Amino acid sequence: MRAVDLFAGAGGTSTGARSVGVEIVAAVNHWRRAVEAHALNHPGAQHLCEDAAILDPTTLPAHDLLLASPSCTGHTRARGVDRPHHDAARATAWCVLRVAEAQRPRAVIVENVPEMLSWVCYRGWRLALSDLGYRISEQVIDAADAGVPQHRRRLFVVASRTRKPVEVPQPTAAHVTARACLDLDGGAWSPWASWCERTRARIVEGQRVHGADVLVAYYGSETGGRSLDRPIGTLTTVDRYALVRGDVARMLTVAEMLRLSSFPAGYALAGTKRDRVKLIGNAVPPRLAAHVIGSVMKAVA
């Protein structure tokens, strides 16, 4: 099967698709760094650094699957108070319909945060897909259940040109621990005694519960730490987790974050560390994508 990856980012969805036998024929993203990273790892695809809202969908190559991860920042609770620019972020979902109407692929797979289901326009957006002849299903899946060493709950909307909606089964893979992805002796360590008060409090509580070695959120509302012997929490677009060992700590490395997101060894990223952390935080974990896309392929093949 041939696929177009809309809002492709660094290529997490494309990597998962390729692992189950899908050919990525084109990838679209508005951020140059993301397009560069995708091209490094998927050189055979056509790469378009373009705003999907003004993209001419008729210029895309023919494809069987449309894979899309429109902006989640307007939906997620982490956005804080709703602001006007969040409307623009939510509106990126309509770009999926423009491509689906022009190309009529056999299936469309849209990934987003579960809060998308509460979007005031969601019912109309879903109905528009139905009007194009698609049967719709919705599944919320935790990436950890697909073997990703990260708890990351995501919504998958599957639209298929089939008699019945395609239901993606909940994955049941054994959970992979964060410890398996971390270099406990490497990296640049420093004493955490000088860190901010709230982070120090989280470290003290995390070590009380989990021992000297613990993962702690550097920012946010968490009140303690996380055991290394379970999947890490959701990786975000900025450095979030610190690895603590006794009285020293360090932020996670890019290589560790790639492993925690189930990217294959040697996956290349472009830009500064800040760019690369953002690329990983925005990415769909490849193992999760592979589970969803593989299930849909079986139904529409």
Side-chain angles (χ1 to χ4, degrees):
M1 285 191 172
R2 292 159 54 90
V4 165
D5 195 346
L6 196 63
F7 310 101
T13 300
S14 293
T15 301
R18 191 169 64 182
S19 73
V20 293
V22 175
E23 178 189 1
I24 304 299
V25 294
V28 182
N29 201 275
H30 70 285
W31 186 27
R32 179 174 57 87
R33 286 296 186 207
V35 175
E36 289 173 355
H38 196 285
L40 287 170
N41 299 283
H42 302 274
Q46 177 185 353
H47 289 91
L48 301 171
C49 187
E50 198 166 340
D51 185 343
I54 59 176
L55 169 74
D56 180 355
T58 64
T59 64
L60 292 171
H63 53 280
D64 308 291
L65 300 175
L66 175 60
L67 311 171
S69 294
S71 176
C72 67
T73 55
H75 300 294
T76 178
R77 287 172 290 180
R79 73 179 186 271
V81 177
D82 199 25
R83 300 189 184 280
H85 72 273
H86 293 138
D87 288 331
R90 290 187 285 263
T92 58
W94 296 106
C95 301
V96 178
L97 291 169
R98 294 179 62 245
V99 177
E101 182 179 13
Q103 294 283 344
R104 302 298 175 99
R106 292 155 71 179
V108 179
I109 302 174
V110 177
E111 178 267 350
N112 213 284
V113 292
E115 291 85 355
M116 184 184 183
L117 294 172
S118 301
W119 177 31
V120 67
C121 293
Y122 179 77
R123 181 175 176 273
W125 179 84
R126 188 186 192 280
L127 184 60
L129 274 173
S130 297
D131 288 343
L132 291 176
Y134 290 98
R135 302 291 181 265
I136 316 296
S137 70
E138 298 137 337
Q139 290 82 216
V140 175
I141 301 175
D142 189 335
D145 296 332
V148 179
Q150 179 185 164
H151 283 297
R152 189 182 187 95
R153 294 180 71 249
R154 286 298 183 267
L155 167 69
F156 289 90
V157 180
V158 177
S160 57
R161 301 178 71 82
T162 51
R163 188 169 61 87
K164 295 181 179 180
V166 174
E167 299 286 345
V168 176
Q170 287 291 326
T172 57
H175 283 188
V176 179
T177 69
R179 186 186 297 275
C181 302
L182 301 173
D183 180 357
L184 297 183
D185 299 314
W189 299 84
S190 62
W192 52 263
S194 61
W195 288 12
C196 72
E197 181 179 353
R198 293 182 64 183
T199 304
R200 294 200 309 270
R202 282 192 284 266
I203 292 174
V204 170
E205 176 62 14
Q207 290 185 326
R208 184 187 71 80
V209 176
H210 302 295
D213 294 354
V214 65
L215 284 163
V216 173
Y218 190 74
Y219 69 90
S221 59
E222 293 186 26
T223 57
R226 300 180 66 93
S227 169
L228 272 60
D229 295 313
R230 60 178 294 200
I232 200 169
T234 301
L235 298 180
T236 60
T237 56
V238 294
D239 275 330
R240 182 181 187 189
Y241 283 102
L243 175 60
V244 180
R245 304 204 74 188
D247 59 358
V248 295
R250 64 169 175 80
M251 304 307 291
L252 298 183
T253 66
V254 168
E256 288 169 329
M257 286 186 276
L258 281 169
R259 292 192 290 269
L260 289 162
S261 293
S262 76
F263 279 93
Y267 201 85
L269 295 178
T272 64
K273 184 186 178 183
R274 185 175 182 178
D275 290 339
R276 289 176 285 161
V277 169
K278 182 177 179 179
L279 287 167
I280 297 168
N282 274 330
V284 180
R287 286 184 192 168
L288 175 58
H291 169 77
V292 175
I293 297 166
S295 299
V296 173
M297 284 178 62
K298 293 177 183 177
V300 303

